[in-house]
């Protein structure tokens, strides 16, 4: 059944959620990636892996970018492959902020964050193996404005590459969420302290990107109560107020959707508040089975449901759930490795059954 929302219109209610796959050699999208996304065009909407809007945003090895002409040309075969089946595709803009290591960045780039507080833990690098996260440089006011400008330019590049829109990654401990979280955000300027100030960066990015490419082409992913990226939890009432205010402001902007990573720690009260404040499309994802997703849609808690690893290991996931076919297991050893193995070589159903 098609989904006809106020802004977002899709051929079905199924979303392929963004997943880091680390196949962009030299940070350039390639033909292998076009094959991968093209295989999965049964979804109504595909949201790509996190893609860097600027050189300092390349926290992970082999992470694609969207800040050069070469990146734009590299992404064009991807969007062409996906559009062949009437699927829409949004590019996820992911500035990793403090979640990165200088060994993964271009030589003249510096790791930056909302503050100079480093994340605890380690990051894989192709050149040095596992390393402690680098200490970020706290963004100045001028630096914040430069980052916002990089989001705008990246969004315009995405449209030039054929994408239907962009998703701002405000989840999983990356830069936008670093601004939201008071345990990481120790700023004393207009981007820190109060809830309104900590939400300001996310709203300014969403507003200015919407002004550049259109509000109907902008979504955002959030993860209330997430502890990924060394995010320590904070007061439950403050969390609720933070995401209620964020949802209200995003509703004022009229963007296409909010995409919620529904981790087990998200209180129902927070989800209800977002649903109440935001009148656009809501996507829920993270760990849903097809059966649980159907319940989510029938109750109206979400308008669309995203699937990650099910799409990773089942290129024909939509066709499989339509006929109740078994799903391929995920090969966890090849999720982030370079090459086709564990990427484009998962089997699909054939007329005679499973290949």
């Amino acid at each position: 059944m098609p989904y006809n929302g106020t802004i977002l219109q899709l051929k079905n209610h199924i979303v392929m959620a963004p997943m880091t796959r680390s196949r962009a050699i030299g940070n350039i999208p390639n033909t292998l990636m076009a094959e991968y996304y093209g295989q999965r065009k049964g979804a109504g909407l595909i949201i790509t892996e996190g893609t860097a809007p600027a050189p300092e945003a390349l926290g992970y090895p082999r992470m694609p970018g969207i800040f050069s002409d070469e990146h734009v040309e590299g992404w064009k075969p991807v969007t062409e492959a996906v559009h062949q089946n009437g699927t829409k595709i949004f590019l996820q803009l992911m500035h990793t902020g403090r979640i990165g290591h200088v060994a993964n960045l271009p030589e003249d780039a510096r790791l930056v964050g909302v503050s100079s507080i480093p994340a605890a833990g380690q990051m894989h690098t192709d050149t040095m193996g596992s390393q402690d996260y680098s200490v970020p440089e706290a963004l100045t006011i001028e630096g914040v404005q430069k980052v916002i400008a990089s989001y705008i330019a990246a969004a315009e590049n995405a449209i030039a590459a054929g994408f239907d829109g962009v998703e701002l990654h405000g989840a999983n401990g990356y830069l936008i969420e670093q601004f939201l979280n008071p345990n990481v955000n120790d700023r004393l300027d207009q981007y820190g302290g109060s809830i309104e100030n900590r939400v300001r960066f996310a709203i300014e990015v969403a507003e200015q990107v919407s002004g550049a490419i259109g509000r109907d082409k902008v979504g955002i992913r959030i993860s209330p109560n997430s502890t990924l990226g060394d995010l320590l939890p904070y007061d439950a009432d403050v969390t609720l107020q933070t995401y209620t205010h964020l949802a209200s402001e995003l509703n004022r902007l009229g963007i296409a959707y909010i995409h919620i990573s529904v981790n087990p720690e998200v209180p129902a009260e927070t989800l209800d508040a977002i649903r109440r404040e935001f009148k656009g499309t809501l996507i829920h994802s993270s760990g849903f089975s097809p059966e649980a997703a159907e319940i989510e849609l029938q109750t109206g808690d979400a308008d669309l449901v995203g699937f990650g690893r099910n799409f990773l290991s089942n290129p024909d996931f939509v066709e499989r759930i339509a006929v109740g076919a078994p799903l391929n297991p995920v090969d966890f050893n090849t999720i982030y490795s370079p090459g086709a193995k564990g990427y484009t070589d998962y089997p699909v159903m054939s007329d005679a059954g499973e290949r």
Side-chain angles (χ1 to χ4, degrees):
M1 183 176 66
Y3 172 70
N4 297 307
T6 305
I7 292 179
L8 197 62
Q9 298 186 359
L10 307 171
K11 67 183 181 183
N12 59 42
H13 294 249
I14 300 172
V15 177
M16 176 174 159
M19 293 174 285
T20 297
R21 300 310 311 273
S22 301
R23 260 64 177 197
I25 307 303
N27 306 119
I28 307 298
N30 52 52
T31 55
L32 185 65
M33 292 169 60
E35 180 183 0
Y36 167 78
Y37 284 108
Q39 288 175 338
R40 288 154 177 81
K41 58 183 180 287
L45 171 66
I46 290 176
I47 305 169
T48 73
E49 61 209 277
T51 302
E56 81 275 0
L58 290 165
Y60 290 97
R62 290 167 271 115
M63 176 181 170
I66 188 63
F67 52 83
S68 73
D69 291 341
E70 193 173 7
H71 294 145
V72 171
E73 292 305 311
W75 278 116
K76 284 181 179 179
V78 175
T79 59
E80 290 169 2
V82 169
H83 285 150
Q84 288 175 7
N85 201 37
T87 297
K88 293 188 177 180
I89 181 167
F90 274 42
L91 180 75
Q92 189 188 68
L93 297 178
M94 183 172 91
H95 194 305
T96 54
R98 70 176 188 159
I99 303 300
H101 191 275
V102 293
N104 291 332
L105 303 182
E107 192 170 325
D108 56 349
R110 307 185 314 276
L111 197 77
V112 299
V114 63
S115 67
S116 59
I117 302 172
Q122 292 193 319
M123 160 71 66
H124 173 77
T125 72
D126 283 342
T127 57
M128 302 169 64
S130 293
Q131 296 288 315
D132 291 345
Y133 289 112
S134 296
V135 178
E137 294 183 20
L139 287 162
T140 63
I141 293 292
E142 181 184 9
V144 171
Q145 296 308 310
K146 286 182 177 178
V147 170
I148 295 174
S150 75
Y151 273 103
I152 296 169
E156 292 172 337
N157 283 344
I159 299 304
F163 285 97
D164 298 291
V166 300
E167 177 179 279
L168 307 174
H169 199 342
N172 298 359
Y174 300 120
L175 185 62
I176 292 176
E177 192 169 29
Q178 291 165 29
F179 274 90
L180 296 175
N181 190 298
N183 294 314
V184 180
N185 184 345
D186 62 359
R187 302 177 72 96
L188 301 176
D189 58 18
Q190 65 263 41
Y191 294 101
S194 69
I195 288 171
E196 291 76 14
N197 282 356
R198 287 187 285 104
V199 168
R200 189 185 308 278
F201 178 73
I203 297 304
E204 287 187 359
V205 172
E207 185 167 28
Q208 294 192 43
V209 168
S210 294
I213 66 171
R215 64 190 179 95
D216 59 320
K217 298 178 177 64
V218 180
I220 189 170
R221 180 174 168 92
I222 59 174
S223 57
N225 292 74
S226 173
T227 57
L228 292 174
D230 189 36
L231 289 181
L232 299 177
Y234 51 104
D235 184 83
D237 287 340
V238 176
T239 305
L240 173 62
Q241 294 168 29
T242 298
Y243 284 93
T244 300
H245 178 63
L246 177 62
S248 176
E249 287 295 288
L250 292 170
N251 185 69
R252 175 181 63 82
L253 297 180
I255 65 171
Y257 68 78
I258 293 178
H259 178 189
I260 307 174
S261 176
V262 187
N263 67 77
E265 302 304 317
V266 182
E269 186 179 13
T270 300
L271 294 176
D272 291 344
I274 295 170
R275 171 94 276 186
R276 182 181 66 250
E277 296 295 331
F278 186 72
K279 309 307 180 185
T281 295
L282 278 188
I283 305 173
H284 283 185
S285 67
S286 299
F288 283 93
S289 66
E291 295 76 18
E294 184 63 31
I295 294 172
E296 199 81 354
L297 295 174
Q298 292 298 328
T299 60
D301 290 338
D303 303 300
L304 306 169
V305 177
F307 298 88
R309 289 176 177 172
N310 283 328
F311 264 115
L312 184 156
S313 57
N314 297 276
D316 55 348
F317 174 63
V318 175
E319 292 80 2
R320 286 175 185 263
I321 61 175
V323 299
L327 301 178
N328 298 319
V330 175
D331 178 3
F332 289 97
N333 294 318
T334 58
I335 290 180
Y336 308 120
S337 60
K341 184 172 176 56
Y343 190 58
T344 56
D345 62 348
Y346 280 103
V348 298
M349 295 185 299
S350 67
D351 292 339
E354 195 71 22
R355 276 205 313 231

